[in-house]
Amino acid sequence: MSENVTKPTIETLLERLNDFRESVENRFSEVEIRLDKIHSEVNDFRQSVEIRFSEFEKRLDKMQNGVEIRLDKIHGEVKETHSEFYALRAEFRELKAEFHEFRSQFNQPA
């Protein structure tokens, strides 16, 4: 009689263990599916960020080239203005010397 009482209990335990195993396997499968989905979303986001970063780098390079061209033009104009300024100062000194010479002609007794 003890065999009859024990046997259904063991079968019941085995069935419960098997059900539990299936439940755990199903949960692991669900977690795996979720992780795959998250991995895919993260990968898509990473690719999107890389594309945007690449576009940003291109725009930044274009801006940098434009700024460098403008700075070169400004540098050239400053050099030209600088040399024109020195030429103007030299001409002004000559004019000043000529003016003093001209003025001195009228200040001398005749």
Side-chain angles (χ1 to χ4, degrees):
M1 183 155 172
S2 94
E3 240 181 75
N4 287 339
V5 172
T6 312
K7 200 168 190 181
T9 305
I10 289 177
E11 284 179 3
T12 304
L13 283 173
L14 288 175
E15 284 177 10
R16 285 182 183 169
L17 280 173
N18 192 35
D19 290 345
F20 179 73
R21 181 190 56 79
E22 287 177 2
S23 173
V24 168
E25 285 178 356
N26 288 337
R27 294 299 263 164
F28 274 128
S29 293
E30 290 173 6
V31 168
E32 196 172 284
I33 289 169
R34 284 180 180 170
L35 286 176
D36 286 343
K37 183 179 177 187
I38 291 171
H39 181 266
S40 176
E41 289 173 355
V42 167
N43 194 35
D44 291 346
F45 180 73
R46 182 186 55 80
Q47 288 176 348
S48 171
V49 168
E50 285 177 354
I51 289 169
R52 288 182 184 193
F53 187 72
S54 176
E55 291 171 355
F56 176 75
E57 281 182 319
K58 288 175 187 175
R59 287 177 34 198
L60 191 61
D61 287 344
K62 187 176 179 180
M63 284 175 51
Q64 183 178 2
N65 290 339
V67 168
E68 287 176 0
I69 289 169
R70 287 186 182 111
L71 285 175
D72 287 343
K73 285 181 182 179
I74 290 170
H75 184 259
E77 289 179 19
V78 166
K79 284 179 91 174
E80 184 178 327
T81 303
H82 192 73
S83 62
E84 288 174 0
F85 175 73
Y86 280 118
L88 187 60
R89 283 181 66 188
E91 289 175 9
F92 184 72
R93 276 193 294 262
E94 286 178 29
L95 183 61
K96 189 176 176 183
E98 288 175 11
F99 179 72
H100 285 300
E101 185 180 316
F102 178 74
R103 191 170 156 203
S104 69
Q105 290 175 0
F106 289 104
N107 288 338
Q108 293 178 358

